[in-house]
Amino acid sequence: AGTPMGWYSQGSALGGVNPDLASERQTPSFSVEKLTALLDGGEENTRIRRAVVEAIESDPVFSRENQYFQSQNEKYEAAVRKAVHLQKKMHEMGWTENGPEFKYIYRALSGEVAFLLHTVFMRSISVLGSDKQITKWIPLATQYQLIGSYAQTELGHGTYLQGLETTAVFDIATQEFILNTPKISAMKWWPGDMGRSATHAVVFAQLDIQGKCYGVHPFIVQIRSLWDHSLCPGITAGDIGPKMNFDHIDNGYLMLQNVRVPRENMLSKFCEVQPDGTYVRRGSQQINYFTMTALRVALISHEAVIPLMKACTIAIRYSVVRRQSKLKPGEEEAKILDFQTQQEKLLPHVAAAYAFHFINNYLEDLFNRGYEEIQRENFDMLPELHAFSSGFKAMVTQYCASAVEACLRACGGHGYSLLSGLPSLCTRILASCIYEGENTILFLQTARFLIKCFMAASAGHPVPPSVTYLAAVKPGKCPAKNKFDFLSPDTYTEAYQHAAVRLISSTAAKLQDLIQSGVKKHDAWNECTVQLVQAVKAHCHYITVKNFAETVERLETKGGIQRIMKHLCDLFALHGIFSNAGVFLHDGYISGAQMDMVTASYLDLLAVIRKDAVPLVDAFDFTDKTLNSALGSYDGQVYQRLYEWAQKSPTNTQMNPAYERYLKPLLHKKLSKL
Amino acid sequence: MMNADLRRERAAATFQPELLTHILDGGADRTRRRKELEALVINDPDFQHEDLNFLSRSQRYEQAIRKSSLMVMKLREYGIADPEEIYWFKSFVHRGRPEPLDLHLGMFLPTLLTQATPEQQDRFFMPAWNLEIIGTYAQTEMGHGTHLRGLETTATYDPATQEFILNSPTVTSIKWWPGGLGKTSNHAIVLAQLYTQGQCKGLHAFIVPIRQLGTHEPLPGITVGDIGPKFGYDEMDNGYLKMDNFRIPRENMLMKYAQVEPDGTYVKPLSDKLTYGTMVFIRSLIVGDSARSLSRACTIAIRYSAVRHQSELKPGEPEPQILDYQTQQYKLFPLLATAYAFHFVGAYIKDTYRRISGDINEGDLSELPELHALTAGLKAFTSWAANAGIEECRMACGGHGYSRCSGIPDIYVTFTPSCTYEGENTVMMLQTARFLVKSYTQVSSGQRVTGMVSYLNDLSRQRIQPQHVAARTVTVRLNDPVSLVEAYKARAAWFVEAAAKNLEAELHRRSKEDAWNKTSVDLVQASEAHCHYVIVKLFTAKLAEISNAAVRAVLTELCLLYALYGISKNTGDFLQAGILTDAQITQVKQRVKELLAVIRPNAVALVDSFDFHDIHLGSVLGRYDGNVYENMFEWAKKSPLNKTEVHESFHKHLKPMQAKL
């Protein structure tokens, strides 16, 4: 499409593309446009996505220009303004929540918009509410007659739901629930949109009927007046204060003192309290899990993979613009990407971004299939789906969080400037390791599934397709004879499979030994948890490598796409072996001499992929406005942009109050007056 | 009132934390003095202020300047002059955070002392001491960092007027990052390429006035400002400086060593090794900083893990302290052990530096190259590990770790630039590698080497073997730190030899520089293995110096954990080098988990020993009394978003929208 400058760049007057970056784009080994289409799932999607991004970025209300200079209050206000404006925009553009454009809106806004919890509020009513409740609340919420939040987590309680302490006591006389926060650790803490915006919240509380506790249930509670936004009687609510990121979201606290809600406000699709206080349970609650699993899968792409792609784009582009030291005496200073150590820091993360993109596609397919089954009232796939979503959410967010940080550090001092865009990517992605389930706990949930399947497989029982490999335990050695053998997907996929089986089976054996020797089941489990986490990581790593290799197999050979993806797949796989050598050497599956071959092939690949590094990140197709980075823009005018942006900082545009008050007396030796 | 969980933890400790504090401080009298200084600051109403988390960048800068001004005055009033005591006082005043006068006190004044002529000292030192002159040290440029020779700023000598003409010829040459440059300083020591008589003489330092005394306005020819917001360092006005034909008198070049005579003749300095000294000193400070920052994060995470209850270990029982989960112990205790290890490494470098700098003053530079090589690697090793460790601690605190009230986000963003400043870590590792390869080459040619690399001498005896030195059958005793030091030593030797041989092989195929680059991943690994060995060795050596049996016992457990955990995280190395067998690796992993249980009862006492005052710790989660939840609520109420009950955006945006829909 001619020169892509118009699409990518904010078209500044900085003077064309930096020649150091332009030269990187001269001879890509593949078609960048084709790779972008592959990532989007087809050219048509690419077209739609670009149209959405274009529409949003050309609208000044959505501008992120001042992002790095704003206070918490200003960021919150901007997020509310954008959320309100978005309603108008969608109407104007004819975008609907079920249309093909919808999923690109969040990406185009980089997630910096309010009322995300409002969506969760609505979703939880749709899933947990009775038809009557849905008819009453959903239209109000859709019209923004009220703004909702979702209040589950408490000050003293997080991932473990049964531990929540908020109470809802049923009062038969008035047909109401009385909600209370009995002590400080029971205060709701963290829910987004709750600190300042929400008028209502779905509050999770322990249901108490005539002195008997029935466990945690959801209640719709009004917390602010619909007229003047003041807090309702019995409600104490506010903002929980500054965080590492998410300044634009008013994460809130909520304390309830004898707050009464009518009986009809308990979400009652699955459980109901009848007027006489009888508790009735109906239907399967398993569908509940499905909402949680779906949320986890959805966040992998938006909150982990896309941020990693952005960080890679910034770091790789900067690494070909930045010159530092000399590789050879007499020559000019070298691009830092020509240093082997820099390639080793960055290129495996580019490969990982692709690997995780493909595993995310795989998960989405799996979920769509699962969803169809569930529609048909078949819940067989649920345990596997749950295990998949937990394990991959944990593995991908953890990997991406450290990879984004590695990109930040690979940019030296300038990476530390907010203007690089990297610190905000970094602090934001860190939260993804905790929300929607703390990662260690999620790993252990997957571990439970794997151990169960391993036991079943060993006993000859059938297991879900993704874990049938556990049954085929074959001891043996890696057959590789030279470094080229390690470029065969079969060779490394088998190595990963072997490692996963070994770690799962040895931990299962240890668990059994402990139990047989009389250790209580729960203690035995706790004693094995460190190894279990390791085993789950190996399992997820194996599936990711296998899926990458299978994806490459299916790609069309045209346009050089398959060849470059094969290189990345090899790099991703060998990087994993190189950095976890002990796991593969442990039982001699890979020998010391073979490990040297792995290293040799791995280092060779760095030099090969180096040539395509910039086209590979260009294919992610981020606009400059999306990246919002002085280091990573398409034209590579890094230093000019850094200087221009710094001058816009309030520290330069406003007067320096510290000078008059402190520096002047200091310099003029009137210290005693301070 | 103290939280009951923490009270129980403290009662169950097997040793007295004060005794361990004395060891960390270097003696009971040092601890006493430190606490005296701490009390001076903490009880002084002048040093109190609102929680920094609620202030804007401008307000933070203003608070820092206010406190720094008072600090300088009070240091003199109290007669505090010992460098270590000044460091303590400063870190209490600023609670471990940077401040705008850091470069004035830490670089500008010392550089004047070491590099200025007596005449220049007369002119600049006293005004600077009295803060009429506030200076900074402007080295890094926008396009150039660790590689000093690449700097582009020029200082051209004009014999007609006897002046230097300073210029920033390109955008990339703009000075960028120096602390205190943006808004605070009126002078800077500027590093620039010296041109005289048409020739470039390399980098030299110049004293450059940048703002008008009196009005504080930038001087004509000077463009100066703040570089904008960063990840952390809010109170620091890191700045930019652009010079256009800015003239300074000839006498403003720092001329204790190199000189430019009035006619433009250049006189060379005697030795350039001397500049190593300052670098070694600052890098040794970073090692100590790694230890302290990681200790603070561990204190917060471990205390909070003793207070926080979550889920159930056994059905029917109350929710346990999260510190009772093996996975939580596995996250935190190795970091605790690491914090102790780094403390002892930091103390060792400081002592060695002090000893060697005595020699340097007498003209003996022989030990400097090794110390320089060692501190480069250790700076990188410890700052990488502490950086990752702080982040681990934050995540170990779950959701609340992400709130600024936990204090860990602040520790992290303040600490993380140490991985890139004062020498980017990978470059530092390669400097150490250069020394290791050089030592290896010396040994290969029959010479002996001394100091920390002396293990390379043993390699020549293994030369008959065709492969790597692997398979030297060390009998490793997993309960004996001394034996583990041997295992780490064997690993380091194996890596150094492997890297050196790969380098040699590459040298047959390509130029020296390409070969070095093609081997650099291996070389970094060799340096890491060397540093890891040095750390285990120094930790182990420390154990022998401890007289109290209870303290020695608990430190021995930590030392074992540090060493064994390191093996378990790098099993591939030990297996491939044939130092340990599969069976031993399995034992190592088992032993690590046993040690977690052994250390568990002393965990809180071990962080208490770091002896951080609550005000210094700056964390609601890490409070000494453990009253976490009440104080989180109190803290949140002060948030700027809560200043009004109804936020203005309700009237501006929400209300109109609701009316329209």
Side-chain angles (χ1 to χ4, degrees):
Chain A
T3 163
M5 268 298 276
W7 152 249
Y8 288 108
S9 185
Q10 26 201 355
S12 72
L14 295 177
V17 176
N18 182 316
D20 278 339
L21 196 45
S23 66
E24 298 283 336
R25 296 185 173 119
Q26 299 251 291
T27 50
S29 78
F30 62 92
S31 154
V32 174
E33 193 62 22
K34 272 205 162 62
L35 185 52
T36 301
L38 172 71
L39 289 169
D40 281 321
E43 285 168 27
E44 177 60 10
N45 287 344
T46 303
R47 196 191 57 73
I48 297 173
R49 176 175 56 73
R50 286 181 179 169
V52 171
V53 171
E54 172 79 46
I56 294 220
E57 290 187 346
S58 60
D59 187 330
V61 178
F62 295 119
S63 164
R64 293 162 67 216
E65 203 186 325
N66 289 317
Q67 184 192 10
Y68 301 126
F69 304 127
Q70 285 171 328
S71 71
Q72 193 189 359
N73 263 321
E74 288 163 341
K75 284 184 185 163
Y76 164 70
E77 186 179 331
V80 170
R81 190 176 60 232
K82 287 183 201 177
V84 169
H85 188 67
L86 181 61
Q87 300 307 314
K88 199 175 130 202
K89 191 84 189 174
M90 285 181 66
H91 183 75
E92 218 176 87
M93 301 296 296
W95 299 336
T96 65
E97 302 205 354
N98 303 316
E101 295 89 1
F102 191 67
K103 64 174 170 180
Y104 298 123
I105 296 175
Y106 185 80
R107 170 170 163 151
L109 292 168
S110 290
E112 274 152 23
V113 61
F115 305 155
L116 296 177
L117 265 285
H118 181 68
T119 324
V120 179
F121 170 84
M122 287 172 63
R123 196 183 305 138
S124 60
I125 293 176
S126 310
V127 175
L128 303 171
S130 65
D131 291 344
K132 209 169 145 192
Q133 287 168 327
I134 293 173
T135 325
K136 175 176 175 188
W137 295 102
I138 295 297
L140 290 172
T142 313
Q143 293 294 309
Y144 282 90
Q145 296 300 99
L146 57 83
I147 292 166
S149 178
Y150 180 85
Q152 178 177 301
T153 311
E154 294 172 359
L155 198 40
H157 307 276
T159 307
Y160 180 68
L161 281 188
Q162 287 103 302
L164 296 181
E165 295 177 289
T166 304
T167 58
V169 177
F170 186 56
D171 179 356
I172 298 184
T174 61
Q175 294 286 302
E176 289 171 321
F177 294 104
I178 309 164
L179 282 101
N180 267 298
T181 304
K183 53 189 200 187
I184 194 127
S185 56
M187 192 171 1
K188 294 294 175 188
W189 200 272
W190 281 112
D193 295 334
M194 195 171 79
R196 308 261 77 188
S197 305
T199 60
H200 288 67
V202 168
V203 173
F204 283 78
Q206 300 284 358
L207 169 65
D208 179 310
I209 309 170
Q210 291 171 331
K212 187 171 174 214
C213 180
Y214 289 85
V216 174
H217 289 72
F219 302 85
I220 299 179
V221 180
Q222 179 170 359
I223 59 174
R224 288 191 174 87
S225 150
L226 288 171
W227 287 111
D228 61 4
H229 218 60
S230 62
L231 291 171
C232 294
I235 301 282
T236 309
D239 174 84
I240 63 161
K243 299 141 293 187
M244 289 184 87
N245 197 323
F246 291 89
D247 278 357
H248 63 289
I249 300 285
D250 52 326
N251 296 87
Y253 58 76
L254 171 69
M255 199 152 52
L256 303 147
Q257 279 158 313
N258 292 317
V259 174
R260 287 174 171 263
V261 301
R263 189 178 65 88
E264 294 75 23
N265 278 23
M266 181 174 119
L267 292 177
S268 58
K269 182 163 186 180
F270 300 106
C271 324
E272 192 181 12
V273 177
Q274 293 181 338
D276 65 350
T278 313
Y279 179 82
V280 184
R281 185 183 284 278
R282 58 169 164 255
S284 165
Q285 269 198 309
Q286 279 182 302
I287 187 86
N288 254 336
Y289 284 104
F290 192 73
T291 321
M292 236 161 26
T293 21
L295 271 179
R296 280 176 197 152
V297 173
L299 80 83
I300 289 177
S301 165
H302 279 302
E303 302 297 344
V305 182
I306 291 179
L308 175 58
M309 288 172 168
K310 287 184 188 171
C312 285
T313 306
I314 297 168
I316 294 274
R317 286 183 183 162
Y318 178 62
S319 295
V320 299
V321 170
R322 178 75 172 186
R323 288 173 175 273
Q324 181 76 57
S325 309
K326 293 176 183 179
L327 270 171
K328 289 172 203 168
E331 290 188 359
E332 67 173 326
E333 290 186 60
K335 292 176 175 182
I336 57 176
L337 196 58
D338 287 326
F339 290 89
Q340 190 190 46
T341 45
Q342 185 77 355
Q343 294 165 9
E344 215 266 325
K345 279 179 200 172
L346 294 177
L347 298 180
H349 300 319
V350 175
Y354 280 92
F356 294 148
H357 174 82
F358 294 128
I359 199 72
N360 181 56
N361 285 352
Y362 171 82
L363 290 174
E364 280 176 1
D365 283 351
L366 198 68
F367 269 78
N368 293 337
R369 264 187 291 136
Y371 188 64
E372 282 166 23
E373 289 302 313
I374 284 166
Q375 302 290 62
R376 282 186 231 126
E377 299 278 306
N378 171 10
F379 298 109
D380 290 353
M381 275 180 82
L382 266 180
E384 190 186 8
L385 286 180
H386 183 68
F388 257 104
S389 71
S390 307
F392 279 104
K393 183 267 178 181
M395 173 180 98
V396 177
T397 55
Q398 192 158 316
Y399 186 102
C400 290
S402 54
V404 168
E405 210 229 306
C407 289
L408 184 152
R409 282 196 276 147
C411 291
H414 294 327
Y416 192 73
S417 167
L418 288 195
L419 308 181
S420 75
L422 291 165
S424 50
L425 283 172
C426 187
T427 49
R428 187 178 166 117
I429 198 171
L430 290 174
S432 70
C433 298
I434 294 155
Y435 59 63
E436 298 305 333
E438 194 275 330
N439 279 353
T440 302
I441 297 179
L442 293 185
F443 277 129
L444 290 174
Q445 285 181 5
T446 308
R448 242 175 241 285
F449 170 80
L450 287 180
I451 292 290
K452 218 163 119 187
C453 292
F454 177 77
M455 298 297 193
S458 316
H461 299 307
V463 292
S466 62
V467 285
T468 43
Y469 77 93
L470 291 175
V473 195
K474 35 185 177 186
K477 304 274 176 221
C478 172
K481 301 240 169 5
N482 56 51
K483 68 175 181 177
F484 302 108
D485 289 343
F486 278 103
L487 300 178
S488 145
D490 288 344
T491 306
Y492 53 69
T493 310
E494 268 167 37
Y496 274 96
Q497 188 190 66
H498 180 87
V501 173
R502 181 177 65 76
L503 289 169
I504 294 166
S505 64
S506 66
T507 317
K510 183 181 160 197
L511 194 59
Q512 256 183 338
D513 285 353
L514 284 170
I515 292 170
Q516 272 163 12
S517 70
V519 179
K520 292 220 183 70
K521 229 173 147 182
H522 303 277
D523 290 328
W525 182 262
N526 193 24
E527 269 185 53
C528 292
T529 45
V530 167
Q531 280 161 300
L532 285 164
V533 169
Q534 208 191 8
V536 176
K537 283 183 186 165
H539 166 77
C540 293
H541 212 151
Y542 159 58
I543 303 283
T544 309
V545 168
K546 181 164 165 264
N547 178 64
F548 200 165
E550 286 169 359
T551 306
V552 170
E553 192 74 10
R554 288 194 302 269
L555 290 175
E556 56 170 332
T557 47
K558 263 192 293 180
I561 303 287
Q562 194 188 39
R563 190 175 46 229
I564 186 70
M565 286 298 111
K566 164 78 168 57
H567 288 322
L568 286 182
C569 179
D570 294 347
L571 184 72
F572 179 74
L574 296 185
H575 171 70
I577 300 178
F578 173 77
S579 16
N580 300 286
V583 170
F584 296 89
L585 289 163
H586 188 92
D587 60 348
Y589 182 80
I590 287 185
S591 70
Q594 284 172 325
M595 196 52 78
D596 286 340
M597 298 170 197
V598 168
T599 308
S601 269
Y602 169 61
L603 295 178
D604 288 348
L605 276 168
L606 293 177
V608 173
I609 295 169
R610 157 70 186 90
K611 299 190 193 93
D612 280 320
V614 169
L616 278 169
V617 296
D618 283 351
F620 295 143
D621 205 32
F622 294 113
T623 62
D624 283 354
K625 281 182 177 162
T626 301
L627 291 175
N628 209 11
S629 162
L631 303 191
S633 47
Y634 188 83
D635 66 8
Q637 299 293 0
V638 167
Y639 300 118
Q640 287 85 339
R641 193 165 276 114
L642 210 45
Y643 187 38
E644 259 180 32
W645 288 12
Q647 290 173 67
K648 291 187 214 157
S649 170
T651 42
N652 292 323
T653 56
Q654 293 161 9
M655 63 161 261
N656 177 2
Y659 175 70
E660 284 300 324
R661 266 183 240 162
Y662 304 109
L663 278 179
K664 199 169 168 186
L666 180 70
L667 292 163
H668 296 182
K669 297 219 273 181
K670 291 172 194 146
L671 275 171
S672 51
K673 287 189 190 159
L674 276 171
Chain B
M1 215 184 67
M2 196 191 291
N3 168 292
D5 285 317
L6 280 186
R7 192 163 353 107
R8 231 183 350 262
E9 295 287 342
R10 288 179 177 131
T14 64
F15 70 100
Q16 279 179 277
E18 304 79 49
L19 295 180
L20 186 44
T21 306
H22 297 161
I23 292 169
L24 292 171
D25 281 328
D29 51 330
R30 301 302 294 154
T31 302
R32 199 164 47 244
R33 180 63 180 147
R34 177 174 57 76
K35 291 177 103 76
E36 268 169 31
L37 294 173
E38 189 176 73
L40 273 181
V41 173
I42 283 168
N43 299 326
D44 186 337
D46 280 348
F47 289 128
Q48 278 154 32
H49 51 78
E50 201 185 334
D51 191 318
L52 294 175
N53 286 302
F54 302 131
L55 300 184
S56 71
R57 226 200 116 202
S58 245
Q59 291 167 319
R60 278 183 162 208
Y61 167 70
E62 197 176 322
Q63 280 298 343
I65 281 279
R66 183 182 69 81
K67 289 198 290 182
S68 292
S69 317
L70 288 163
M71 175 183 83
V72 171
M73 201 169 66
K74 295 197 181 195
L75 278 172
R76 287 173 198 171
E77 187 185 320
Y78 299 139
I80 299 166
D82 172 67
E84 189 163 8
E85 294 190 0
I86 293 175
Y87 177 86
W88 280 340
F89 194 84
K90 180 180 113 57
S91 93
F92 296 139
V93 168
H94 291 283
R95 302 172 192 183
R97 312 190 50 77
E99 52 103 1
L101 294 188
D102 271 350
L103 272 92
H104 177 74
L105 303 172
M107 287 299 288
F108 191 77
L109 288 175
T111 308
L112 285 181
L113 280 179
T114 53
Q115 295 187 38
T117 62
E119 180 275 327
Q120 289 172 325
Q121 300 214 5
D122 284 348
R123 245 184 325 140
F124 293 106
F125 191 80
M126 279 325 284
W129 179 250
N130 291 328
L131 294 170
E132 285 155 30
I133 287 177
I134 297 179
T136 180
Y137 190 82
Q139 176 176 302
T140 311
E141 295 172 1
M142 188 151 23
H144 309 274
T146 307
H147 181 66
L148 285 185
R149 276 165 296 167
L151 296 180
E152 294 177 276
T153 303
T154 58
T156 310
Y157 184 63
D158 176 1
T161 59
Q162 305 221 359
E163 287 171 322
F164 290 103
I165 309 162
L166 285 143
N167 267 302
S168 312
T170 59
V171 178
T172 46
S173 74
I174 297 174
K175 294 291 176 187
W176 201 268
W177 281 112
L181 173 63
K183 298 276 133 182
T184 312
S185 300
N186 53 26
H187 280 69
I189 288 175
V190 170
L191 270 86
Q193 305 285 358
L194 166 64
Y195 284 86
T196 181
Q197 298 175 335
Q199 278 183 315
C200 178
K201 298 291 180 187
L203 274 191
H204 288 77
F206 303 84
I207 303 175
V208 181
I210 55 176
R211 287 178 187 271
Q212 188 75 52
L213 297 181
T215 65
H216 212 57
E217 292 292 332
L219 294 166
I222 296 284
T223 311
V224 64
D226 173 85
I227 63 162
K230 296 141 295 186
F231 209 0
Y233 272 55
D234 278 356
E235 35 282 283
M236 184 67 102
D237 53 325
N238 297 85
Y240 58 75
L241 172 67
K242 189 165 168 289
M243 293 168 292
D244 296 302
N245 290 317
F246 188 75
R247 287 173 172 264
I248 56 169
R250 184 184 67 92
E251 295 80 13
N252 276 25
M253 174 173 139
L254 287 173
M255 290 206 269
K256 184 162 173 186
Y257 300 108
Q259 284 164 16
V260 172
E261 293 178 346
D263 66 349
T265 311
Y266 178 74
V267 185
K268 264 210 280 208
L270 290 172
S271 160
D272 51 3
K273 267 190 191 163
L274 282 159
T275 48
Y276 277 1
T278 329
M279 283 196 284
V280 169
F281 175 68
I282 290 178
R283 286 171 195 164
S284 78
L285 287 183
I286 295 177
V287 174
D289 236 26
S290 304
R292 270 182 300 276
S293 301
L294 184 56
S295 307
R296 285 172 70 190
C298 283
T299 305
I300 296 165
I302 288 183
R303 285 187 187 154
Y304 177 62
S305 299
V307 171
R308 176 82 171 180
H309 291 250
Q310 181 77 49
S311 308
E312 50 184 19
L313 264 172
K314 292 166 200 172
E317 291 192 5
E319 296 186 58
Q321 293 165 288
I322 57 174
L323 200 55
D324 284 332
Y325 288 94
Q326 191 189 50
T327 44
Q328 187 76 354
Q329 296 166 5
Y330 188 69
K331 280 176 198 170
L332 294 176
F333 295 169
L335 296 174
L336 180 63
T338 305
Y340 274 96
F342 291 178
H343 267 291
F344 299 134
V345 173
Y348 167 85
I349 299 182
K350 204 167 66 186
D351 293 346
T352 314
Y353 175 72
R354 217 175 268 161
R355 182 171 57 74
I356 294 186
S357 50
D359 299 342
I360 295 171
N361 289 340
E362 285 151 31
D364 177 8
L365 303 176
S366 60
E367 275 189 86
L368 204 52
E370 173 171 12
L371 188 68
H372 179 248
L374 185 67
T375 48
L378 286 173
K379 178 260 176 187
F381 189 99
T382 58
S383 62
W384 266 335
N387 186 63
I390 294 165
E391 178 54 13
E392 278 275 324
C393 287
R394 186 189 62 72
M395 285 202 277
C397 294
H400 294 332
Y402 194 72
S403 166
R404 298 252 204 104
C405 79
S406 76
I408 307 184
D410 226 32
I411 297 174
Y412 180 77
V413 295
T414 305
F415 180 76
T416 191
S418 3
C419 296
T420 43
Y421 65 50
E422 297 305 331
E424 195 277 329
N425 277 358
T426 302
V427 179
M428 293 298 97
M429 280 296 186
L430 289 171
Q431 281 185 8
T432 302
R434 221 172 263 282
F435 180 78
L436 292 174
V437 170
K438 207 171 119 197
S439 304
Y440 176 83
T441 317
Q442 280 176 341
V443 171
S444 311
S445 64
Q447 288 168 267
R448 289 188 68 77
V449 290
T450 55
M452 288 289 184
V453 287
S454 53
Y455 60 83
L456 294 173
N457 293 326
D458 304 338
L459 282 173
S460 48
R461 272 181 264 133
Q462 314 280 338
R463 200 121 318 250
I464 345 142
Q465 296 180 356
Q467 264 287 327
H468 295 315
V469 277
R472 46 182 275 168
T473 44
V474 206
T475 7
V476 182
R477 296 178 306 281
L478 299 185
N479 271 323
D480 178 6
V482 177
S483 175
L484 296 175
V485 173
E486 290 302 308
Y488 274 94
K489 186 197 270 185
R491 168 173 173 251
W494 187 80
F495 265 120
V496 172
E497 171 148 73
K501 285 194 164 165
N502 288 348
L503 181 63
E504 223 169 80
E506 291 287 349
L507 279 171
H508 293 306
R509 270 175 256 150
R510 48 190 113 235
S511 74
K512 213 165 78 186
E513 295 75 18
D514 281 338
W516 181 261
N517 191 26
K518 280 271 173 197
T519 323
S520 51
V521 169
D522 300 331
L523 289 163
V524 169
Q525 279 183 329
S527 287
E528 282 179 334
H530 176 71
C531 292
H532 212 154
Y533 153 67
V534 170
I535 295 168
V536 174
K537 182 183 156 84
L538 292 175
F539 198 165
T540 305
K542 188 76 196 174
L543 299 175
E545 297 172 20
I546 295 163
S547 51
N548 181 286
V551 173
R552 194 174 54 242
V554 69
L555 278 183
T556 305
E557 288 154 10
L558 282 178
C559 179
L560 278 172
L561 180 65
Y562 181 77
L564 292 170
Y565 180 80
I567 294 175
S568 79
K569 283 282 136 182
N570 298 284
T571 52
D573 305 350
F574 290 91
L575 286 167
Q576 202 182 356
I579 302 163
L580 294 171
T581 63
D582 294 354
Q584 284 174 311
I585 293 289
T586 307
Q587 282 171 21
V588 166
K589 291 186 173 176
Q590 186 53 33
R591 190 75 191 106
V592 165
K593 284 181 293 180
E594 287 163 14
L595 282 166
L596 297 179
V598 172
I599 291 166
R600 168 68 186 86
N602 281 322
V604 169
L606 279 166
V607 296
D608 285 350
S609 302
F610 292 136
D611 200 29
F612 291 109
H613 192 285
D614 273 353
I615 289 185
H616 189 61
L617 205 53
S619 166
V620 178
L621 300 190
R623 293 169 62 90
Y624 185 81
D625 67 10
N627 294 320
V628 169
Y629 298 127
E630 302 80 335
N631 286 291
M632 264 181 97
F633 187 33
E634 288 310 309
W635 180 86
K637 285 189 216 160
K638 296 179 203 145
S639 165
L641 252 71
N642 291 329
K643 286 260 156 71
T644 56
E645 189 64 65
V646 175
H647 195 264
E648 56 180 343
S649 60
F650 172 73
H651 301 289
K652 265 201 223 164
H653 305 291
L654 289 178
K655 191 89 185 162
M657 170 182 71
Q658 287 168 336
K660 268 185 239 155
L661 284 165

